[in-house]
Amino acid sequence: MPHSAAETIYQAIESIELIDPHTHINPHAPASRTLADILGYHYYTELAHSAGMPKEPIEEPDLAPRELVRRLVENLQPLENTSQYHWLVAICQKFFSFQSDRLDSSNWEALYDTAEKTMSAADWSQTVLQESKVRAVFLTNDFDDSLEGFDTETYIPCLRTDDLVFKFHQRETQERLERSSGVSLNGSLSSLRDALRQRFEHFSAKGGRACAISLPPNFEPTLVNEGRGTNAFDAMLHQSESAAPAQKQAFSRTLFWMLAELCDEFGLPFDLMIGVNRGVYASGVYQGQDLYDSRVSLIQYRELFNAFADVKFPVSVLASVTNQELVSYAWIFPNVLTNGHWWYSNTPSFIHRDAQARLEAVPANKQIGYYSDAYKLEFVWPKFDMYRRVLSNVLADHFVGMNGWSEERAIELGHRVLRGNVEEIFLKQSASKMTFDSASSKPASSKPASTSDLGSIALAAEAIGTVAVEPIDQLPSEDEIQMLEVPDVELDRGSDQESHPDADAIDAQAEPDPLPLESLSFDNPSDESAASLHHEIQPLRNEKSFELDEDSLQLKPDPMTGELRLPNPAESNDEGENSEDDDFELRDE
């Protein structure tokens, strides 16, 4: 494909204002303060260590930022061929007017001083967002985060649940959940559900838009029965870290399933980042010890995907070798989405192959093109720019060159996977299932929207750039009934002056013998008592007889209203026709 088409597409999608759906940014210190915050990113420390730099000079306690940069710069030369080095140079050129394409001992000090002065500006974080064309970034928040002190429309909370699922055997995790939720964990699964629900309510009220978790390759989310889950919960509370591995596994599955249920209840997407094996290289630098494990398979998640059809599962896989399986699952399951290019798949060659496979096979509305996974705002731009250039080439070569699309049509697809789907999946869906306080336009609770809530939802949705209101459910939910504090049944015995029925008098009026229905025959009554009743009991249509049938005399709930009533044979007929053999009617003539 001619270079001009790819460049035209790139220029168009480069202008898109981004919403980054997954970062590790600290909203209280989102941007870097010195060049050490940039070079200290684990990509550079782990690559420098891999190239031969000892671990100790990198992680020396109380190491001054300037000295850390000096040491790392002296070990950067072997990294110059990597994509990560390209990000570093691009950041320095864009934000600090760096003129060279190589950072070395001849220029790092001047760059350090310039960067430090630039970063000291009070509005530096906002400047980075503006120059990067980033409207908002999703965070990675601990479950006990107060979510206070930052703008949640720019820094969007995301409930990260790894500690809850995989570290609950630790006393500290249990205490954190009790302290943050205000719910005492008494050993019953209902107390655990209450605590987790409170955390979902807290995050929803603060503008949270997703739940997320990183999962090891051997994890298989399946439904654990209540008794097994209760036993496992008890082991976590009373045996803590000495609990048996089987108990820890059962509890992890129990709590994970509860999280999926709450995502369903609160309308939140559940981000699954699958396949990381922790601590493979035990002697590695900080965050440079984990690797992917090809033994993972999405077949392990089949029960989850089948059970929660209304929950969106944006799935990230750690290795490009798992991408085809992810493409296949997103191809088949409506609730499985492809999500970004994670970690070891985050280089141009892997992105090109994986992105093209997804664009060729997965519906366009089910692809979240990219997220930065950044720890500092400065990295959002170079990472997204790498993806945009790869995406532009795929759109130009395959869709324009091979499929004959117009450039405008290719640009529309690029916009969709870069920005449109992020809004549709994370912002629109979650907003449509929450109610908002009309004064603040912030989520107020997770109860279904009522008519009075719709105006507030529209305001809140407009504030995040989309308007979507779920249809009104005319039937009140159980929560709405309880909120009214009005009993649905009231017993009125009347005033004390009214006379009450006399039981003996009622008993005296009752017939001494039961009605002999078993001996009735409409054509030939067998005795005088039956014959005397013949004029009172008339068959419907052309019925000839009535025989006692205990099943037909059992009260059963109406499938629509739940009201107990005698079954209607016409409703149970497989052909949808009235039965002429079973209907009867008692008439009082």
Side-chain angles (χ1 to χ4, degrees):
M1 186 65 210
H3 174 74
S4 59
E7 187 61 28
T8 300
I9 294 171
Y10 169 77
Q11 292 297 332
I13 64 176
E14 194 273 338
S15 66
I16 296 172
E17 189 178 35
L18 300 171
I19 297 175
D20 189 341
H22 176 69
T23 76
H24 295 271
I25 286 170
N26 176 1
H28 304 286
S32 301
R33 292 171 295 180
T34 71
L35 201 59
D37 290 336
I38 294 174
L39 266 177
Y41 194 14
H42 70 84
Y43 279 106
Y44 303 112
T45 57
E46 64 198 17
L47 283 170
H49 180 49
S50 175
M53 183 179 181
K55 175 181 176 179
E56 291 71 24
I58 299 173
E59 298 186 349
E60 180 182 326
D62 302 320
L63 185 63
R66 194 179 191 95
E67 178 59 18
L68 174 62
V69 171
R70 184 192 69 78
R71 295 179 183 182
L72 287 170
V73 167
E74 290 178 351
N75 291 272
L76 286 182
Q77 194 278 326
L79 281 57
E80 291 183 1
N81 59 294
T82 67
S83 297
Q84 292 87 346
Y85 187 88
H86 177 75
W87 304 340
L88 172 64
V89 173
I91 288 172
C92 295
Q93 291 174 341
K94 182 175 182 66
F95 295 113
F96 312 128
S97 302
F98 188 57
Q99 300 300 313
S100 177
D101 61 358
R102 173 177 288 179
L103 182 60
D104 56 28
S105 58
S106 69
N107 56 25
W108 78 264
E109 290 188 278
L111 174 63
Y112 186 96
D113 293 338
T114 300
E116 186 174 35
K117 182 178 179 180
T118 304
M119 294 172 181
S120 65
D123 61 348
W124 174 239
S125 296
Q126 190 59 34
T127 298
V128 175
L129 288 171
Q130 291 174 352
E131 293 192 16
S132 302
K133 298 176 184 175
V134 174
R135 176 182 177 184
V137 298
F138 278 62
L139 308 177
T140 302
N141 302 94
D142 290 334
F143 68 87
D144 55 347
D145 195 328
S146 67
L147 306 179
E148 298 288 348
F150 61 90
D151 176 12
T152 58
E153 291 185 0
T154 301
Y155 302 102
I156 301 173
C158 173
L159 173 58
R160 191 66 180 254
T161 56
D162 303 46
D163 287 355
L164 288 169
V165 174
F166 298 112
K167 295 183 179 180
F168 202 85
H169 55 277
Q170 299 176 359
R171 297 291 188 198
E172 180 186 2
T173 305
Q174 300 169 20
E175 292 169 358
R176 287 169 57 197
L177 180 59
E178 286 189 318
R179 186 166 54 249
S180 60
S181 67
V183 176
S184 176
L185 301 176
N186 58 20
S188 67
L189 289 184
S190 61
S191 68
L192 179 61
R193 289 190 182 96
D194 290 343
L196 295 177
R197 179 174 285 105
Q198 194 283 330
R199 291 289 80 199
F200 271 75
E201 291 172 348
H202 169 70
F203 269 75
S204 296
K206 295 292 186 178
R209 291 289 181 267
C211 180
I213 189 170
S214 174
L215 298 156
N218 62 344
F219 184 69
E220 185 172 356
T222 57
L223 177 62
V224 177
N225 67 60
E226 194 86 358
R228 181 76 177 95
T230 300
N231 289 338
F233 185 30
D234 182 77
M236 298 303 103
L237 295 178
H238 295 98
Q239 299 176 32
S240 190
E241 299 196 33
S242 62
Q247 294 281 48
K248 294 177 182 178
Q249 181 186 71
F251 180 79
S252 292
R253 291 176 175 177
T254 299
L255 196 144
F256 181 91
W257 204 265
M258 288 183 182
L259 294 175
E261 291 172 337
L262 288 165
C263 285
D264 193 11
E265 177 182 339
F266 283 78
L268 295 180
F270 198 177
D271 289 5
L272 307 181
M273 311 181 78
I274 299 173
V276 60
N277 206 327
R278 302 288 183 184
V280 176
Y281 176 34
S283 299
V285 297
Y286 176 65
Q287 294 183 321
Q289 302 176 347
D290 310 329
L291 287 164
Y292 72 82
D293 193 328
S294 294
R295 292 173 295 178
V296 70
S297 173
L298 297 184
I299 196 68
Q300 298 163 208
Y301 293 81
R302 64 190 181 278
E303 185 175 345
L304 177 75
F305 296 153
N306 279 292
F308 296 97
D310 292 332
V311 176
K312 299 297 185 185
F313 294 100
V315 176
S316 302
V317 290
L318 195 57
S320 180
V321 294
T322 318
N323 186 67
Q324 185 175 357
E325 189 178 28
L326 174 57
V327 167
S328 300
Y329 274 69
W331 177 336
I332 297 299
F333 280 94
N335 55 344
V336 176
L337 299 83
T338 60
N339 190 19
H341 300 271
W342 184 30
W343 210 338
Y344 297 110
S345 300
N346 190 31
T347 57
S349 58
F350 290 132
I351 292 173
H352 190 283
R353 184 178 69 183
D354 295 350
Q356 181 165 325
R358 296 174 186 183
L359 289 168
E360 290 175 359
V362 179
N365 64 335
K366 297 182 61 187
Q367 302 185 49
I368 301 168
Y370 195 75
Y371 54 76
S372 73
D373 213 11
Y375 283 74
K376 292 294 182 181
L377 285 178
E378 289 86 355
F379 280 96
V380 175
W381 174 79
K383 287 187 164 189
F384 264 94
D385 203 55
M386 174 185 65
Y387 174 76
R388 283 186 295 237
R389 292 193 178 278
V390 174
L391 177 62
S392 299
N393 284 317
V394 172
L395 293 173
D397 293 342
H398 185 80
F399 290 92
V400 177
M402 292 181 60
N403 292 356
W405 282 25
S406 67
E407 293 178 358
E408 290 76 13
R409 188 178 177 188
I411 290 168
E412 289 177 3
L413 178 57
H415 187 285
R416 183 160 203 167
V417 300
L418 266 172
R419 168 69 186 265
N421 287 342
V422 174
E423 289 185 296
E424 185 73 20
I425 294 163
F426 290 104
L427 303 183
K428 180 178 178 180
Q429 174 169 315
S430 58
S432 68
K433 286 202 173 186
M434 292 187 295
T435 59
F436 294 78
D437 179 88
S438 59
S440 63
S441 296
K442 296 294 183 182
S445 73
S446 61
K447 71 179 181 65
S450 63
T451 306
S452 61
D453 296 321
L454 296 181
S456 298
I457 291 179
L459 290 174
E462 183 179 0
I464 59 176
T466 182
V467 176
V469 176
E470 201 173 64
I472 299 173
D473 185 357
Q474 300 296 333
L475 294 177
S477 68
E478 184 64 26
D479 290 341
E480 289 172 326
I481 293 173
Q482 296 299 326
M483 288 178 61
L484 293 176
E485 298 182 351
V486 176
D488 56 352
V489 176
E490 292 186 4
L491 300 178
D492 186 1
R493 296 183 178 273
S495 64
D496 294 337
Q497 289 74 24
E498 293 179 356
S499 61
H500 296 285
D502 183 88
D504 293 334
I506 294 175
D507 186 60
Q509 298 176 24
E511 293 288 343
D513 298 315
L515 183 67
L517 292 177
E518 68 277 0
S519 63
L520 289 182
S521 171
F522 292 118
D523 293 328
N524 301 300
S526 60
D527 57 37
E528 294 181 2
S529 62
S532 67
L533 292 168
H534 185 223
H535 70 285
E536 298 180 13
I537 302 177
Q538 300 293 333
L540 291 177
R541 293 177 294 276
N542 298 316
E543 293 87 341
K544 301 299 183 183
S545 64
F546 168 77
E547 295 182 1
L548 183 64
D549 180 357
E550 291 191 2
D551 287 340
S552 67
L553 298 179
Q554 296 294 320
L555 293 176
K556 296 182 179 180
D558 185 282
M560 298 298 294
T561 67
E563 178 184 7
L564 292 176
R565 64 173 189 168
L566 288 170
N568 182 350
E571 295 177 354
S572 61
N573 192 308
D574 290 341
E575 299 299 323
E577 300 174 356
N578 292 331
S579 169
E580 297 185 354
D581 296 326
D582 298 328
D583 285 351
F584 70 98
E585 181 179 54
L586 294 179
R587 294 183 180 175
D588 183 13
E589 297 181 353

